[in-house]
């Protein structure tokens, strides 16, 4: 079978709000079982220690989540009055699936329209019972609010996913069967990614009463799997979601592979001792088939997460079936451990196998096997004597003689549908090494409200305090490229994790801090961007050198310009811009400074464009207008450099005179002009010959002429325009009607326009390249610009981290006794 990668996980389990806290619970041997909360039902009214009493339950215990009545409807675009009709299981799936995608570093918006499948294990309908206690509450919204299929379908709808979308119900094996189906969908190409989840909530007493009558409820509320005192299980609730991709795709996309599904199998008991009775031969068959599908020998399995409900008959059947399969060709020095998460959090029914899967993923990641609780004396019907099979009673290292670590996971439905899955630790992939290290970084956080943004910043501050090993560049990369970007934004230019913690702390406390800025409620893409390219006297020796050393797009573009210019210049462009220490640069000479400025501005523009900052209009003066025309597609880079080199060769005037003229124009009023010296007929003819050999096109974006201050179209795509450009007056900004729009000026030279809201320099002398670049990018982001963060870090070997997830702003969404049928049907 083609291996399937698990690249993200999200969960809410008893005693655990996320994967990290779940692992802490497991590793510490935590027991999350509590008495039934008063907001579920009055346990004193329903409890009777004697099983079988009508209307009574024989247990007071369970594994429960907090605040299952809470939900953030606005985040998912759902009206609060509609949200209270939606089964809380469905709502939980939405939130945990979002968290799983964030854990994977996958931006949900990028999945829109994709073949992403959704497979959700779900069995119970307690909330439907609560609604139907008053039949007048049932209305047209009832079906889409409570049907099991909608748990999956609503997630597909909200995220615009086009792959298969289904609910899976095989009772206790539902989650593992859902994973099996998702893997099949991925292997056939039906899905390119899959979200697989299991959910179960205990909202009303009926199912616990029924289980008490079946005498499978443990009176003391503990799953004592494999213990001699086992006397039933305890119910639990929760939700878990995993993000799956084909391993080859995950490696290609540089995803954070958490574990690998090698193979799985599903079968049925058929006609046996009873519909709900465990079947040893069927269990052996499904485990054997899963191993065969995974092409893994039984002796290569060093841990099995068992179904392990804790019933006197079920445990021995499972243990003996496991022993029969796992002992094939296993030597005494090949240990295998078996355990069950049900001893920690209870039996989560349709979500139970998802809890098992996530436990094993975390165990593989940390290379530890958590303790199996409540084992004092082995069930006498189970014999492990003479075998290397053991049950861990304390957390321990997970050693293996030969990598990789492999585990099995079992789940058996009480209707006879069995499933087994083979999981392998994530492959060790080669770490890319690069000299392109950025000396300063930009972290962006965003939310849908100011309160949520501060909570998110708090989570990141806490994360940085507890994860001192996290590299700053990986944190910034994951937060920027692996999260959705909402209207309330925070952006921080920072140099170290220590500085970042201090900056976040200042934001949380409402204080100012160097490098930190925020904005409120900016709508993405609400503003247009104009690029203004400056003329001579804005270049300086070593301008952009830091970018050239550390940014591949910029370097490759400059290298390309250098290659094109070699036939026209005696010295290399790079030698002129970045002279070796001790050498004198020729940048002050017109023949070099104009092509150098063109190349530099062009490289900066291509860099910004590679980050998704695309201008809707461009303008330039002197050399800058050639760059603007090139960016607008008027002529090619080759022709642009040929023209500017010809222009430079004709400029036989002192550079200081040009500089003074341009400076007067830039710093003057709106109608300021700059005039270049009159050219002789001979020099005009020379330039004309070159200009006529150029291939021109109409501008592909708005281009403002420096000669008229107005938009130009076909007239700029002629040799005559550029001949006139050599000697006519240039008008700066007088016709640049941009309005309230930000403007990037590629070299830090400001044009003047009363209507501009913000002018951002590209590079400034005296400021490091990256510091200035990131400060300008920060301001654009805060104004709502959509940045291509993946391309921003494309050429750096950063890796995705499992960072804090979004702080949902929950409110009570629950059917109340006072809710009228009219109000609910609106």
């Amino acid at each position: 079978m083609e291996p399937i990668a698990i690249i993200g996980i999200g969960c809410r389990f008893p005693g655990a709000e996320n994967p990290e806290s779940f692992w802490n619970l497991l590793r510490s041997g935590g027991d999350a079982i509590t008495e039934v909360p008063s907001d579920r039902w009055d346990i004193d009214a329903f409890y009777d220690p004697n099983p079988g009493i009508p209307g009574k339950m024989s247990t007071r215990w369970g594994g429960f989540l907090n605040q299952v009545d809470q939900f953030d409807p606005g985040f998912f675009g759902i009206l609060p009055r509609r949200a209270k009709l939606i089964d809380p299981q469905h709502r939980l799936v939405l939130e945990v699936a979002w968290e799983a995608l964030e854990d994977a570093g996958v931006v949900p918006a990028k999945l829109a329209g994709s073949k992403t499948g959704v497979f959700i294990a779900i069995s119970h309908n307690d909330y439907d019972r609560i609604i139907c206690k008053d039949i007048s509450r049932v209305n047209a919204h009832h079906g889409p609010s409570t049907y099991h299929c909608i748990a999956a379908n609503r997630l597909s709808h909200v995220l615009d996913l086009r792959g298969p979308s289904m609910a899976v119900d095989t009772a206790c094996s539902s989650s593992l069967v859902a994973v099996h189906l998702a893997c099949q969908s991925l292997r056939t190409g039906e899905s390119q990614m899959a979200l697989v989840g299991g959910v179960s909530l205990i909202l009303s007493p009926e199912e616990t009463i029924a289980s008490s009558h079946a005498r499978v409820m443990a009176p003391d509320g503990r799953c004592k799997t494999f213990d001699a005192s086992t006397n039933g299980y305890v119910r639990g609730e929760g939700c878990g979601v995993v993000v799956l991709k084909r391993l080859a795709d995950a490696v290609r996309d540089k995803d954070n592979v958490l574990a690998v599904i090698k193979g799985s199998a599903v079968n049925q008991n058929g006609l046996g001792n009873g519909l709900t009775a465990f079947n040893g031969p069927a269990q052996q068959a499904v485990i054997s088939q899963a191993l065969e599908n995974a092409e893994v020998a039984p002796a290569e399995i060093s841990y099995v997460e068992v179904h392990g409900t804790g019933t006197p008959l079920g445990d021995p059947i499972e243990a003996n079936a496991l022993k029969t399969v796992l002992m094939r060709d296993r030597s005494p020095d090949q240990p295998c451990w078996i355990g069950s998460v049900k001893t920690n959090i209870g039996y989560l029914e349709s979500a139970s196998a998802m809890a098992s899967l996530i436990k094993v993923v975390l165990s593989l990641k940390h290379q530890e096997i958590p303790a199996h609780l409540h084992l004092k004396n082995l069930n006498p019907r189970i014999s492990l004597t003479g075998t290397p099979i053991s049950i861990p009673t304390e957390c321990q290292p997970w050693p293996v003689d030969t990598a990789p670590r492999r585990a099995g996971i079992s789940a058996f439905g009480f209707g006879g549908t069995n499933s087994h899955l083979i999981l392998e630790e994530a492959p060790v992939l080669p770490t890319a090494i690069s000299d392109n290290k950025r000396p300063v970084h930009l972290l962006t956080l965003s939310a849908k409200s100011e309160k949520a943004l501060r909570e998110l910043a708090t989570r990141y501050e806490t994360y940085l305090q507890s994860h001192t090993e996290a590299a700053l560049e990986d944190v910034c990369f994951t937060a920027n490229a692996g999260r959705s970007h909402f209207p309330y934004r925070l952006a921080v230019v920072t140099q170290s994790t220590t500085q970042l913690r201090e900056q976040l702390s200042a934001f949380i406390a409402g204080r100012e801090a160097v490098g930190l800025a925020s904005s409120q409620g900016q709508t993405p893409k609400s503003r247009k961007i104009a690029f203004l390219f400056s003329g001579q006297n804005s270049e300086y020796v070593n301008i952009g050198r830091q970018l050239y050393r550390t940014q591949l797009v910029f370097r490759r573009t400059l290298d390309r310009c250098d290659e094109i210019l070699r036939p026209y210049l005696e010295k290399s462009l790079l030698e002129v811009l970045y002279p070796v220490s001790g050498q004198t640069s020729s940048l002050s000479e017109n023949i070099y400074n104009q092509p150098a400025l063109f190349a530099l501005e062009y490289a900066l523009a291509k860099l910004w464009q590679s980050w998704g900052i695309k201008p809707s209009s461009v303008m330039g003066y002197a050399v800058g207008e050639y760059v603007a025309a090139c960016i607008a597609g008027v002529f090619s880079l080759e022709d642009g450099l040929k023209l500017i080199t010809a222009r430079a060769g004709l400029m036989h005037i002192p550079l200081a005179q040009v500089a003074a003229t341009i400076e007067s124009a830039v710093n003057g009023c709106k109608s300021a002009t700059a005039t270049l010296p009159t050219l002789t007929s001979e020099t005009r003819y020379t330039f004309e010959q070159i200009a006529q050999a150029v291939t021109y096109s109409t501008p592909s974006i708005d281009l403002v002429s420096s000669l008229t201050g107005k938009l130009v179209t076909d007239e700029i795509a002629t040799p005559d325009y550029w001949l006139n450009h050599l000697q006519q007056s240039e008008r700066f900004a007088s016709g640049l009607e941009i309005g309230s729009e930000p403007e990037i000026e590629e070299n830090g030279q400001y044009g003047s326009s009363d209507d501009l809201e913000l002018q951002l320099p590209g590079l400034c002398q005296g400021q490091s390249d990256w510091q200035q670049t990131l400060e300008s990018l920060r301001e654009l982001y805060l104004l709502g610009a959509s940045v291509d963060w993946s391309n921003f870090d494309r050429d750096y070997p950063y890796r995705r981290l499992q960072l804090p997830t979004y702080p949902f702003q929950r409110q009570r969404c629950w059917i109340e006794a006072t809710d009228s049928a009219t109000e609910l049907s609106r």
Side-chain angles (χ1 to χ4, degrees):
M1 283 186 167
E2 182 178 10
I4 302 298
I6 299 174
I7 64 170
I9 53 179
C11 66
R12 308 268 182 81
F13 295 137
E17 285 292 307
N18 52 52
E20 185 171 19
S21 60
F22 184 43
W23 175 248
N24 291 337
L25 174 78
L26 295 171
R27 193 176 188 279
S28 64
D31 183 340
I33 302 304
T34 64
E35 279 205 349
V36 177
S38 59
D39 61 356
R40 304 305 175 93
W41 58 80
D42 181 355
I43 186 59
D44 291 331
F46 284 96
Y47 174 70
D48 192 299
N50 302 303
I53 304 297
K56 300 292 183 178
M57 59 185 66
S58 58
T59 180
R60 305 178 64 89
W61 307 94
F64 296 96
L65 303 184
N66 295 323
Q67 298 180 332
V68 294
D69 61 325
Q70 303 284 304
F71 180 57
D72 187 348
F75 185 89
F76 296 99
I78 300 172
L79 293 173
R81 69 172 184 271
R82 295 284 166 78
K84 66 166 51 181
L85 287 170
I86 297 174
D87 189 326
Q89 296 178 120
H90 300 192
R91 306 190 312 226
L92 199 54
V93 165
L94 288 177
E95 291 187 352
V96 177
W98 187 276
E99 292 168 349
L101 286 171
E102 288 197 331
D103 187 70
V106 174
V107 178
K110 292 185 177 180
L111 298 180
S114 70
K115 294 195 300 181
T116 298
V118 178
F119 303 81
I120 301 298
I122 181 171
S123 296
H124 296 303
N125 56 358
D126 289 14
Y127 199 64
D128 190 38
R129 290 193 182 104
I130 293 173
I131 293 174
C132 291
K133 284 180 179 178
D134 181 350
I135 201 67
S136 68
R137 293 171 172 167
V138 177
N139 56 45
H141 304 297
H142 183 255
S145 298
T146 59
Y147 287 10
H148 286 166
C149 64
I150 302 299
N153 301 161
R154 191 187 302 278
L155 179 58
S156 298
H157 170 75
V158 167
L159 301 183
D160 190 21
L161 309 179
R162 308 296 175 86
S165 181
M166 65 188 73
V168 178
D169 183 6
T170 59
C172 329
S173 59
S174 299
S175 290
L176 222 55
V177 173
V179 172
H180 175 77
L181 294 174
C183 290
Q184 288 182 331
S185 182
L186 287 165
R187 291 185 179 113
T188 62
E190 181 182 54
S191 296
Q192 65 186 42
M193 182 184 287
L195 294 170
V196 190
V199 64
S200 182
L201 288 179
I202 305 169
L203 305 177
S204 61
E206 291 85 353
E207 294 293 335
T208 306
I209 292 172
S211 296
S212 296
H213 282 239
R215 289 171 169 75
V216 294
M217 292 282 94
D220 60 355
R222 300 298 185 274
C223 287
K224 299 176 288 296
T225 307
F226 300 143
D227 192 77
S229 66
T230 184
N231 56 357
Y233 62 84
V234 60
R235 298 184 72 201
E237 63 183 10
C239 179
V241 175
V242 294
V243 184
L244 306 183
K245 286 176 76 171
R246 291 180 289 272
L247 178 60
D249 294 345
V251 171
R252 177 201 65 202
D253 298 338
K254 299 179 182 178
D255 290 312
N256 184 20
V257 178
L258 304 175
V260 177
I261 299 170
K262 295 288 288 182
S264 58
V266 173
N267 74 1
Q268 234 286 334
N269 291 344
L271 182 61
N273 293 331
L275 174 64
T276 60
F278 286 116
N279 186 309
Q283 292 179 17
Q284 292 179 37
V286 78
I287 296 169
S288 298
Q289 187 62 58
L291 287 164
E292 180 181 335
N293 292 344
E295 298 180 349
V296 170
E300 294 179 275
I301 300 297
S302 52
Y303 177 76
V304 175
E305 176 68 18
V306 300
H307 182 65
T309 53
T311 56
L313 295 178
D315 285 358
I317 291 173
E318 181 175 10
N320 292 327
L322 272 175
K323 186 169 67 171
T324 300
V325 176
L326 295 178
M327 287 306 297
R328 294 174 190 160
D329 301 320
R330 183 181 292 269
S331 63
D333 61 350
Q334 290 179 297
C336 182
W337 302 88
I338 59 176
S340 175
V341 72
K342 294 177 179 65
T343 63
N344 301 94
I345 61 175
Y347 188 11
L348 272 58
E349 294 157 349
S350 55
S352 62
M354 187 55 64
S356 297
L357 174 60
I358 293 175
K359 171 190 171 180
V360 178
V361 170
L362 296 172
S363 296
L364 287 168
K365 174 185 174 182
H366 295 280
Q367 300 180 5
E368 291 184 324
I369 297 175
H372 174 95
L373 307 185
H374 315 311
L375 180 65
K376 296 179 180 178
N377 299 293
L378 190 63
N379 188 320
R381 294 178 178 175
I382 299 173
S383 176
L384 301 179
T385 305
T387 76
I389 300 174
S390 303
I391 303 170
T393 54
E394 59 184 26
C395 186
Q396 60 184 41
W398 186 343
V400 289
D401 292 334
T402 57
R405 293 168 179 80
R406 293 191 175 111
I409 303 169
S410 291
F412 309 132
F414 84 148
T417 298
N418 309 305
S419 185
H420 192 81
L421 180 143
I422 307 300
L423 201 64
E424 181 178 282
E425 67 181 333
V428 178
L429 301 175
T431 303
I433 300 175
S434 173
D435 294 330
N436 302 323
K437 293 185 178 179
R438 193 183 299 139
V440 64
H441 297 275
L442 178 64
L443 173 75
T444 64
L445 301 178
S446 69
K448 292 193 173 185
S449 70
E450 183 178 358
K451 182 174 182 289
L453 183 59
R454 291 195 183 276
E455 287 185 19
L456 185 60
T458 301
R459 291 186 178 188
Y460 270 75
E461 182 194 29
T462 302
Y463 173 87
L464 292 171
Q465 289 174 347
S466 59
H467 294 77
T468 55
E469 78 288 351
L472 175 62
E473 57 268 28
D474 294 333
V475 172
C476 293
F477 164 67
T478 305
N480 296 342
R483 296 293 186 269
S484 299
H485 292 275
F486 300 115
Y488 288 82
R489 299 183 170 191
L490 171 67
V492 188
V493 177
T494 189
Q495 296 181 351
S496 68
T497 53
T498 300
Q499 182 187 19
L500 179 57
R501 286 200 309 270
E502 294 170 352
Q503 290 165 315
L504 291 175
S505 177
F507 173 74
I508 295 163
R511 303 192 308 269
E512 294 184 357
V514 174
L516 179 148
S518 63
S519 63
Q520 298 184 358
Q522 296 292 344
T523 303
K525 299 181 181 179
S526 62
R527 292 170 170 81
K528 295 180 180 179
I529 295 172
F531 284 4
L532 173 60
F533 300 93
S534 60
Q536 291 109 301
N537 202 37
S538 56
E539 71 283 350
Y540 49 89
V541 176
N542 288 323
I543 182 172
R545 187 165 198 157
Q546 189 182 56
L547 284 178
Y548 184 79
R549 288 199 313 264
T550 59
Q551 219 298 322
L552 282 181
V553 171
F554 184 79
R555 180 161 72 235
R556 287 168 180 162
T557 307
L558 269 189
D559 287 347
R560 175 62 181 148
C561 292
D562 178 48
E563 181 183 352
I564 295 169
L565 287 169
R566 283 178 185 175
Y568 310 121
L569 302 176
E570 291 184 8
K571 297 181 180 180
S572 162
L573 168 69
L574 300 177
E575 178 186 337
V576 172
L577 278 171
Y578 311 129
V580 177
S581 178
Q583 291 187 354
T584 302
S585 171
S586 302
L587 189 60
S588 61
E589 300 175 27
N590 267 323
I591 192 64
Y592 291 112
N593 65 54
Q594 293 190 38
L597 181 59
F598 181 107
L600 182 88
E601 293 189 335
Y602 181 83
L604 280 170
K606 299 307 287 186
L607 175 60
W608 283 100
Q609 287 179 311
S610 75
W611 295 343
I613 306 301
K614 305 292 177 69
S616 58
S617 59
V618 291
M619 179 184 178
Y621 57 89
V623 174
E625 186 155 8
Y626 286 77
V627 187
C630 192
I631 292 297
V634 174
F635 39 68
S636 67
L637 174 61
E638 290 79 3
D639 281 343
L641 287 169
K642 187 188 302 181
L643 274 174
I644 203 64
T645 304
R647 182 184 189 274
L650 302 176
M651 301 292 289
H652 299 299
I653 60 171
L655 185 58
Q657 181 180 339
V658 178
T661 304
I662 292 177
E663 184 178 2
S664 172
V666 173
N667 296 327
C669 63
K670 254 183 136 178
S671 60
T673 62
T675 305
L676 293 175
T678 303
L679 301 177
T680 67
S681 59
E682 181 181 351
T683 56
R684 178 183 174 90
Y685 175 77
T686 303
F687 186 82
E688 183 178 10
Q689 293 295 104
I690 296 172
Q692 286 178 345
V694 168
T695 300
Y696 298 93
S697 301
T698 302
S700 58
I701 57 177
D702 287 350
L703 174 56
V704 179
S705 171
S706 65
L707 302 180
T708 65
K710 298 179 180 179
L711 289 176
V712 288
T713 53
D714 294 338
E715 63 269 31
I716 200 171
T718 64
D720 288 342
Y721 180 89
W722 298 102
L723 285 168
N724 293 334
H725 186 274
L726 279 174
Q727 59 189 109
Q728 287 191 12
S729 299
E730 295 182 316
R731 299 179 60 82
F732 295 94
S734 62
L736 191 55
E737 298 295 334
I738 295 178
S740 298
E741 301 167 356
E743 171 179 332
I744 293 177
E745 301 192 313
E746 292 293 339
N747 252 17
Q749 298 297 310
Y750 291 166
S752 64
S753 169
D754 295 339
D755 296 326
L756 293 178
E757 177 181 334
L758 181 66
Q759 295 176 317
L760 300 174
L763 296 177
C764 287
Q765 193 166 9
Q767 179 87 293
S768 77
D769 296 346
W770 273 116
Q771 185 74 29
Q772 182 58 67
T773 300
L774 294 186
E775 286 180 1
S776 292
L777 183 61
R778 177 191 63 196
E779 297 308 312
L780 279 172
Y781 175 76
L782 294 176
L783 284 167
S786 295
V787 181
D788 187 339
W789 293 110
S790 294
N791 264 352
F792 177 71
D793 282 321
R794 181 183 59 188
D795 298 318
Y796 301 91
Y798 302 153
R799 64 188 188 93
R800 290 183 174 91
L801 301 179
Q802 293 176 284
L803 294 179
T805 55
Y806 189 85
F808 294 111
Q809 301 301 292
R810 298 184 179 94
Q811 63 186 67
R812 181 172 169 82
C813 298
W814 201 260
I815 289 288
E816 310 288 0
T818 56
D819 289 333
S820 68
T822 302
E823 182 182 2
L824 293 174
S825 63
R826 285 192 297 118

